[in-house]
């Protein structure tokens, strides 16, 4: 038993050591669109190499790695096909964009000790400048860059959030920091009696409104320009949502925002928070590894546990706080709260 345990531990430790190599294999598969091309059917390494500017030997090396990672399959004739996980890679909205975006994150992690000591001017801090205030995200190019990435990855977050909590009793939803309105639109499409307002920075407005006008729920969707730090929140909503917002910001900003939301909501109004969370006293692999260090590279914000978010909500005057079991913690965890009556 001791030998078996040692062998298993050794294999798991080696998997940690080779983790970066696996991520780079994945990056190469995405950049070369290998998985997309295999959607057409099984192919040889030579056929895939011809249009990738790789030698057959090196394409075969990449495909064998992908097969070991269970993204592709290899038959007896040496042809490669798409495995179930590989097909999922192609089908998940925004996943390939996030993998390409990781090139900057990996460069920020090239010296993790320096990152932990705060000695690195990180690329991610430049990529997400809005977290330092609205004045840092005034130009359209900067706004489009981060809003495009958020919109492409938000569909799966919206789906998980709306399958966890029901907005069936909501009349008017205000989605703060809602970008191009992916979550607001998903909520309106799922609940025909719901209208939704998106609040985000002025630079986001042109692309957001263009997208919302094309929606089947366009008559129930609107956009309001503003900064939740500096501007009053729009009145009239009985539910306010924060979808991947809080972990971008420091505690003082979060506390001020929650207090502002509490002042804006009517008695009994509802708050929905959805984002990746720390495991708290029981660290969790997605929140306490990936998202924790991602926030570190952003140079602001932090991944919080549900318990910590609950504390901040209580201080702001919320009651009835509930955290829901997460189907996919690496996508999101959901917490709801109500403004106390009276």
């Amino acid at each position: 038993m001791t030998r078996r345990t040692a062998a298993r531990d050794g294999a798991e430790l080696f998997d940690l050591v080779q983790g970066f190599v696996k991520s780079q294999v994945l990056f190469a598969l995405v950049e070369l669109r290998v998985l997309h091309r295999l959607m057409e059917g099984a192919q040889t390494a030579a056929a895939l190499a011809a249009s990738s500017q790789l030698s057959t030997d090196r394409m075969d090396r990449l495909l064998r790695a992908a097969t070991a990672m269970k993204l592709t399959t290899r038959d007896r004739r040496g042809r490669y096909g798409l495995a179930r996980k590989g097909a999922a890679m192609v089908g998940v909205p925004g996943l390939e964009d996030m993998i390409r975006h990781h090139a900057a994150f990996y460069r920020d992690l090239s010296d993790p000790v320096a990152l932990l000591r705060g000695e690195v001017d990180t690329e991610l801090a430049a990529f997400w400048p809005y977290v330092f205030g609205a004045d840092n995200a005034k130009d359209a190019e900067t706004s489009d860059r981060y809003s495009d990435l958020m919109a492409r990855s938000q569909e799966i977050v919206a789906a998980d959030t709306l399958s966890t909590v029901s907005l069936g009793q909501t009349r008017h939803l205000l989605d703060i920091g809602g970008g191009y309105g992916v979550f607001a639109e998903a909520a309106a499409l799922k609940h025909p009696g719901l209208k939704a307002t998106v609040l985000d920075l002025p630079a986001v407005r042109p692309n957001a409104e263009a997208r919302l006008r094309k929606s089947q729920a366009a008559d129930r969707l609107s956009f309001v320009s503003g900064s939740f730090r500096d501007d009053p929140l729009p009145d009239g909503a009985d539910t306010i949502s924060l979808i991947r917002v809080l972990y971008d910001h420091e505690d003082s900003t979060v506390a001020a925002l929650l207090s502002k939301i509490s002042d804006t909501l009517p008695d009994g109004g509802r708050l929905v928070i959805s984002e990746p969370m720390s495991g708290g006293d029981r660290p969790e692999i997605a929140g306490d590894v990936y998202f924790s260090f991602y926030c570190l590279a952003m140079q602001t914000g932090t991944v919080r546990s549900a318990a910590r978010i609950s504390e901040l909500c209580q201080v702001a005057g919320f009651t009835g706080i509930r955290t829901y079991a997460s189907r996919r913690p690496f996508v999101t965890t959901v917490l709801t709260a109500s403004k106390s009556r009276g």
Side-chain angles (χ1 to χ4, degrees):
M1 287 183 63
T2 301
R3 285 196 297 271
R4 286 197 298 271
T5 300
R8 184 174 62 250
D9 289 348
E12 291 176 356
L13 287 170
F14 181 73
D15 197 53
L16 292 175
V17 172
Q18 71 170 341
F20 180 72
V21 180
K22 291 166 73 173
S23 69
Q24 296 305 92
V25 167
L26 186 59
F27 188 90
L29 291 167
V30 168
E31 281 292 287
L32 295 172
R33 294 185 63 81
V34 171
L35 302 179
H36 279 278
R37 288 152 64 192
L38 288 177
M39 291 288 285
E40 302 168 3
Q43 300 184 49
T44 64
L48 290 165
S51 56
S52 300
Q53 297 182 321
L54 293 183
S55 67
T56 299
D57 173 71
R58 296 202 172 189
M59 176 57 75
D60 190 64
R61 187 186 299 259
L62 175 62
L63 290 166
R64 285 177 178 271
T67 301
M69 292 162 59
K70 299 183 179 179
L71 297 171
T72 58
T73 60
R74 188 174 189 273
D75 64 21
R76 294 181 180 179
R77 297 168 58 187
R79 296 184 309 169
Y80 291 91
L82 203 57
R84 178 171 51 85
K85 288 182 181 178
M89 279 289 309
V90 176
V92 175
L95 183 55
E96 290 193 3
D97 296 299
M98 186 60 72
I99 290 167
R100 289 192 179 93
H101 164 66
H102 279 160
F105 186 25
Y106 295 153
R107 287 191 290 271
D108 289 342
L109 283 170
S110 62
D111 187 343
V113 175
L115 179 65
L116 286 163
R117 289 174 175 164
E119 300 170 350
V120 180
D121 291 326
T122 61
E123 290 186 42
L124 286 191
F127 190 91
W128 303 105
Y130 72 93
V131 296
F132 299 103
D135 289 342
N136 294 281
K138 286 183 175 179
D139 66 284
E141 181 180 353
T142 299
S143 167
D144 291 348
R145 187 179 62 204
Y146 67 73
S147 295
D148 285 346
L149 181 60
M150 287 294 288
R152 287 192 291 269
S153 59
Q154 191 114 338
E155 291 179 21
I156 191 170
V157 178
D160 276 21
T161 303
L162 293 171
S163 68
T164 301
V165 297
S166 173
L167 300 182
Q169 301 302 312
T170 297
R171 294 179 295 100
H172 187 178
L173 170 71
L174 172 63
D175 188 29
I176 295 177
Y180 289 172
V182 174
F183 179 74
E185 180 189 33
L189 290 174
K190 185 167 184 175
H191 302 288
L194 177 150
K195 76 173 184 177
T197 300
V198 178
L199 173 71
D200 214 314
L201 301 175
V204 178
R205 183 168 196 156
N207 285 346
E209 289 190 329
R211 184 184 183 281
L212 295 176
R213 281 196 296 268
K214 298 176 183 177
S215 173
Q216 294 179 4
D219 61 329
R220 294 182 284 119
L221 297 170
S222 60
F223 185 95
V224 173
S225 297
S227 164
F228 67 72
R229 294 172 185 261
D230 308 317
D231 301 317
L233 301 180
D235 290 323
D238 57 337
T239 299
I240 292 179
S241 55
L242 297 168
I243 310 299
R244 295 195 300 179
V245 170
L246 297 187
Y247 73 155
D248 284 349
H249 301 282
E250 303 296 342
D251 277 3
S252 57
T253 301
V254 170
L257 173 58
L258 292 175
S259 179
K260 186 180 284 191
I261 290 172
S262 180
D263 291 342
T264 302
L265 280 171
D267 288 352
R270 194 180 190 196
L271 171 63
V272 177
I273 297 171
S274 179
E275 63 182 38
M277 297 183 189
S278 160
D281 292 337
R282 301 181 65 180
E284 187 270 327
I285 193 71
D288 291 290
V289 180
Y290 176 86
F291 288 103
S292 176
F293 274 76
Y294 194 98
C295 288
L296 190 63
M298 284 176 60
Q299 296 188 349
T300 183
T302 187
V303 176
R304 298 174 180 85
S305 66
R308 176 56 181 154
I309 295 173
S310 297
E311 290 174 1
L312 292 166
C313 288
Q314 287 174 339
V315 171
F318 288 97
T319 60
I321 300 168
R322 177 182 174 187
T323 304
Y324 298 78
S326 177
R327 183 164 64 96
R328 296 184 287 190
F330 58 90
V331 172
T332 197
T333 297
V334 181
L335 179 151
T336 60
S338 299
K339 179 178 177 179
S340 58
R341 296 182 182 276

